[in-house]
Amino acid sequence: GMTVLHCSGALGSEILHSLGPGVSRGSYHPLQSFTSLPAGTVPVPPYVVAIEGDDEALAQAEQLAAATGHRAVRLATAQKAGYHAAAVLASNCLIALQAAASRVMAARPVSNLSADTLKPRRERPRLASARTAWVRTRWSSSTARRVP
């Protein structure tokens, strides 16, 4: 049979209902920001991939994550919206907060500090590691099914 995985972090596999019978449905959401990178650069693996769907889709998603060096975390469909909201807050809001702090610092200098002090550093490995640790802690609760 065929398996179809979408990559939305907020939507569950039910959005694929129109595919008809005989198709396994699921979602495969990388918990990783993808920005413009220089040619030949690979985003920082390993990162967490949130997966959801029927049994066959979950098996395929786990295989894909393992083959690409990532860690799959199973979510129930009902958990997708909360998971995505938490991921957005942990990632996007942190970056926006750092940018706002830099603007405030630039407007009101403090001795021994500059706006550059507060600019986000390009330490993606450390950020990715912290984000992975946060997800591992958050989604290892009894409500989530973890992949060892």
Side-chain angles (χ1 to χ4, degrees):
M2 181 189 303
T3 298
V4 176
L5 301 170
H6 71 74
C7 294
S8 169
L11 302 174
S13 56
E14 71 278 357
I15 66 167
L16 301 173
H17 72 278
S18 64
L19 295 175
V23 178
S24 293
R25 298 162 182 82
S27 63
Y28 184 94
H29 182 255
L31 187 58
Q32 171 70 38
S33 297
F34 293 97
T35 60
S36 298
L37 298 172
T41 304
V42 178
V44 183
Y47 49 80
V48 171
V49 179
I51 61 174
E52 169 273 334
D54 63 43
D55 289 341
E56 180 59 28
L58 288 170
Q60 294 293 321
E62 287 170 341
Q63 287 179 10
L64 177 60
T68 54
H70 306 299
R71 182 170 182 262
V73 176
R74 290 184 178 200
L75 301 177
T77 302
Q79 292 175 304
K80 288 292 298 267
Y83 149 81
H84 192 256
V88 167
L89 287 171
S91 178
N92 300 348
C93 290
L94 176 61
I95 292 168
L97 180 61
Q98 288 174 325
S102 291
R103 284 192 301 276
V104 169
M105 184 62 70
R108 290 165 186 79
V110 176
S111 63
N112 298 328
L113 289 177
S114 68
D116 287 339
T117 305
L118 299 176
K119 284 184 180 173
R121 289 181 264 167
R122 296 190 180 266
E123 295 179 4
R124 294 237 181 250
R126 191 181 330 177
L127 289 174
S129 176
R131 191 174 2 201
T132 299
W134 176 85
V135 169
R136 186 174 298 131
T137 301
R138 172 64 184 99
W139 292 108
S140 64
S141 70
S142 60
T143 58
R145 299 179 297 179
R146 256 181 65 196
V147 177

